[in-house]
Amino acid sequence: MATDYGYDSGLGFPETVRRHRVPAGLRAPFEGRTWREFGYVLLSLPISIVMFTYAVTMILLGAGLLVTFLGIPVFAAGLAGCRGLGALERARARGLLGLEVGDPEPLKMRKSGFMAWMGAVLKSGTSWRTLLYSVLHLPWATFSFVVAVNFWVYGWALLTYPLWFWVFPAYVGQDGLQLYGDQTHHIYLDNPFEIGVTALVGLLFTLATPWIVRALTTVDRVMVHGLLGPTRLTARVVELESDRGVVVDTAAADLRRIERDLHDGAQARLVALAMDLGLAKEKLTEDPAAAARMVDEAHGEVKTALQELRDLARGIHPAVLTDRGLDAALSAVASRCTVPVQVEVDLPARPAPAIEGIAYFTVSELLQNISKHSRATFAAVDVWRVENRLLLQVVDNGVGGADVSSGSGLAGLAERLDAVDGILVVDSPAGGPTRVTAELPWRGERV
């Protein structure tokens, strides 16, 4: 096993990368993943028998009792038990298969009490999907168990045949493992050549078994994810709720920043300006020269305050973006960067104002990062459209090491893009270059 040293840009320390010299096909029978997957298949049969028996018994019992009021509670209890077994299956898949599947939507109860709980269980799609899983998994678990165990046992048995073939002449009374036999002919695997071929066949079986087991557990992954996990609609709702939270937090942070900038910047200057003008007014008759100097200083403060207000307005939404679009706005941002920036915008039309604004601020923040941290001598910005997506790419020849880690500016940028179904991809190896690609949904400008 060879050891190479890479670079972990998030921590700044060398990162050890291990590369196996043994091919994956030869390692597979001895890897922990293979044994965990085989253990999953072995456990699937008894667990699926319990689940199938429980589900069928409770459903048939509930159906038989539907003529009375007891049938509905039995149905609900059966479905609730299936939900519990489904949680066990998700935990088993997570532990043995490494399958990260989220919990399905919880029961939605408008009121408290047994009747409300029973109605919520019967109305929940998760309950019926876990029931379907309990019924369908038994035949598949039986098939997987038979295939995996036979390949596993026969593979290792044939592979180790040279070590135990002596058992047949010593204790069974025959020359070796019988390959064929009838009333007149018997073929035994007893000479060195036949023993070697048997071991070779066993080796092929042994090497193939992990991949067969992996294929079998792939079906289990699909079943667990599809029937026991959250639906696409539920996952989308959760994602939208998370994105809404990000948007609200971002808007609140922007408002606090604007309030802070106004309070500490322009507002403080205007207050000082008012005081200076008041003093100048008092000195106007007594000392006109001093009053003139104070008015001149106040004039300078007015210019500074106006510049700060312009910068603040540009940070909220630049006028050039509204009037002339992304090409002119990004060119203006690039002109303020500390390194030469080449800007190329190839868009057939203007996107929606919201998407245009996010694209502008994304490029603006990336160029600020280049100015502050990259030590680059050149940068390039490309903007183009591919079907229904708007693509941005910012490249620089700096030192690299940019990382979308928790708490960094890139992490916050990725969250903002994710809030509108966007994607941020950072490719920044140590030593550079850095290539940041952002993808946004394309929505055309309304006219």
Side-chain angles (χ1 to χ4, degrees), residues 109-131:
M109 298 173 55
R110 297 182 179 179
K111 300 179 181 179
S112 59
F114 177 74
M115 296 298 293
W117 172 83
M118 187 169 58
V121 171
L122 292 173
K123 293 178 182 179
S124 174
T126 301
S127 303
W128 296 100
R129 290 199 306 274
T130 53
L131 173 64

Side-chain angles (χ1 to χ4, degrees), residues 330-350:
L330 294 182
S331 297
V333 172
S335 66
R336 297 193 298 270
C337 189
T338 58
V339 301
V341 181
Q342 177 183 343
V343 178
E344 183 174 348
V345 178
D346 183 14
L347 295 177
R350 293 184 64 173

